[in-house]
Amino acid sequence: MYNLITLSNEEMKKHVMDSQHPEKPQRLDKFIQGFNIFSEKNNFKCKFVKSEKIKEEDLLIVHDLHLVNVVKSISLQGGGVITWDNVLNKHTFSSACYAAGASKQAAELVSNNETEKALAIVRPPGHHTNFSTVAGFCFFNNIAIIAETLVSKGFSKIAIVDIDQHFGNGTADIFYSRNDVLYYSIHAHPAYAYPGRGYPFESGIYDGMGYTVNCPDLPKTNT
């Protein structure tokens, strides 16, 4: 009996912005290595599954067609730059589709009662990309795809807990006016850290009022 199904794919490592860039392919290796050590020490039985690439039309559950086409076309042309921190090579679109695919598969495994827990180990990351704009090393919003997939399966109460150093402005934007997805973020204070958002008063609008919860930490705060 497996405690967890984990999804990933080596194809995600083909996206490279720069050899010295902090968001690099080795992050995937380090996470998997650390997870394996944890599993062995805790007798945690995990099944690894090679994830599949998401279908392009499935990206449209959280992104507009223009964003998808821009990332795809620049990749197919061999790479380029969208923003100063979103550099693409010829593999970027494919790698991002594998990351989004692993995320969607993880949601479907849980919603179909094939496992109680699923973990998607992915890159490039996604929480700075909103409906129509890439940002912060992110291209497609993987966690938003998980949440929206679960909503489409009939789940009505979903919580996203984001503990990245930076506020996930893209994820917050996507669900900012909705009450079926709670976005809870602990991050470095926006007065000192990218993206300069994530204050406590940013709590949602309309039906989503109160469903965005931000807990910014000042520098040198122990959490």
Side-chain angles (χ1 to χ4, degrees):
M1 183 67 179
Y2 295 106
N3 301 104
L4 177 73
I5 294 180
T6 302
L7 301 106
S8 195
N9 196 303
E10 289 284 306
E11 292 293 319
M12 300 177 202
K13 294 165 63 176
K14 292 183 177 180
H15 161 64
V16 181
M17 288 193 277
D18 182 88
S19 60
Q20 301 302 312
H21 198 283
E23 206 299 283
K24 52 191 176 183
Q26 289 80 359
R27 296 179 79 199
L28 211 62
D29 295 327
K30 291 292 185 182
F31 189 96
I32 293 174
Q33 180 184 17
F35 185 77
N36 285 336
I37 293 172
F38 167 83
S39 298
E40 291 174 8
K41 287 186 176 181
N42 295 276
N43 195 29
F44 198 78
K45 295 179 181 179
C46 178
K47 179 182 179 181
F48 276 87
V49 175
K50 190 175 182 180
S51 62
E52 300 173 357
K53 190 185 294 186
I54 198 171
K55 295 178 181 178
E56 290 181 32
E57 57 265 31
D58 289 335
L59 292 170
L60 303 182
I61 63 173
V62 294
H63 298 303
D64 68 19
L65 182 61
H66 178 70
L67 181 148
V68 175
N69 285 340
V70 166
V71 177
K72 181 180 180 180
S73 62
I74 293 176
S75 287
L76 291 179
Q77 293 170 23
V81 178
I82 299 179
T83 70
W84 70 271
D85 54 359
N86 283 83
V87 181
L88 300 81
N89 68 4
K90 65 181 181 180
H91 302 292
T92 298
F93 179 71
S94 178
S95 295
C97 283
Y98 274 108
S103 303
K104 186 172 187 292
Q105 281 178 264
E108 290 174 339
L109 285 169
V110 173
S111 65
N112 294 336
N113 294 316
E114 295 179 55
T115 180
E116 290 186 355
K117 301 180 183 69
L119 173 67
I121 302 176
V122 304
R123 69 170 296 273
H127 76 162
H128 292 305
T129 294
N130 60 22
F131 298 103
S132 58
T133 307
V134 303
F137 318 154
C138 302
F139 296 93
F140 303 134
N141 197 311
N142 306 306
I143 192 63
I145 288 170
I146 288 177
E148 196 62 63
T149 299
L150 292 173
V151 168
S152 72
K153 298 287 186 178
F155 289 75
S156 59
K157 294 295 181 182
I158 298 165
I160 297 173
V161 180
D162 191 338
I163 58 173
D164 189 277
Q165 180 184 358
H166 304 108
F167 171 59
N169 53 304
T171 307
D173 288 348
I174 289 171
F175 300 109
Y176 206 60
S177 61
R178 294 169 49 175
N179 61 13
D180 52 352
V181 178
L182 170 70
Y183 178 69
Y184 184 96
S185 179
I186 302 173
H187 48 264
H189 200 283
Y192 303 93
Y194 179 89
R197 287 183 50 199
Y199 288 91
F201 62 78
E202 297 177 61
S203 57
I205 57 173
Y206 309 127
D207 290 344
M209 181 65 71
Y211 284 83
T212 296
V213 181
N214 292 314
C215 299
D217 284 334
L218 291 169
K220 299 183 180 181
T221 299
N222 292 320
T223 57

